[in-house]
Amino acid sequence: MLDKLLPDAITVDLGFVDGDALRRTHRTVSDGGPIQTMLFAVISLELALRALAVNDNAGREDVTCS
């Protein structure tokens, strides 16, 4: 999942998460290392922000300004 989220992580863009630290943690986990429980919180926040972004943009194309 992190492979898909890392390239355009909203949490990194907004400064909630250090991108370098997140990539290091991802590499550690990918190499079979231990999973830090904080990673679950980061993934949850990332998914929540993405859901909000999708919902925030829903239907805006149909709105006509006059």
Side-chain angles (χ1 to χ4, degrees):
M1 178 180 282
L2 277 177
D3 288 332
K4 293 180 182 179
L5 297 177
L6 276 176
D8 57 344
I10 296 171
T11 51
V12 173
D13 291 344
L14 294 176
F16 292 127
V17 176
D18 178 355
D20 293 332
L22 182 58
R23 282 185 284 282
R24 280 192 307 272
T25 301
H26 175 254
R27 221 175 348 217
T28 299
V29 171
S30 295
D31 291 342
I35 299 175
Q36 297 177 9
T37 56
M38 183 56 78
L39 193 54
F40 296 115
V42 171
I43 293 170
S44 295
L45 177 59
E46 182 69 33
L47 293 174
L49 291 172
R50 286 172 185 245
L52 288 172
V54 168
N55 287 335
D56 188 42
N57 292 326
R60 289 194 178 197
E61 295 173 351
D62 298 331
V63 175
T64 305
C65 296
S66 42

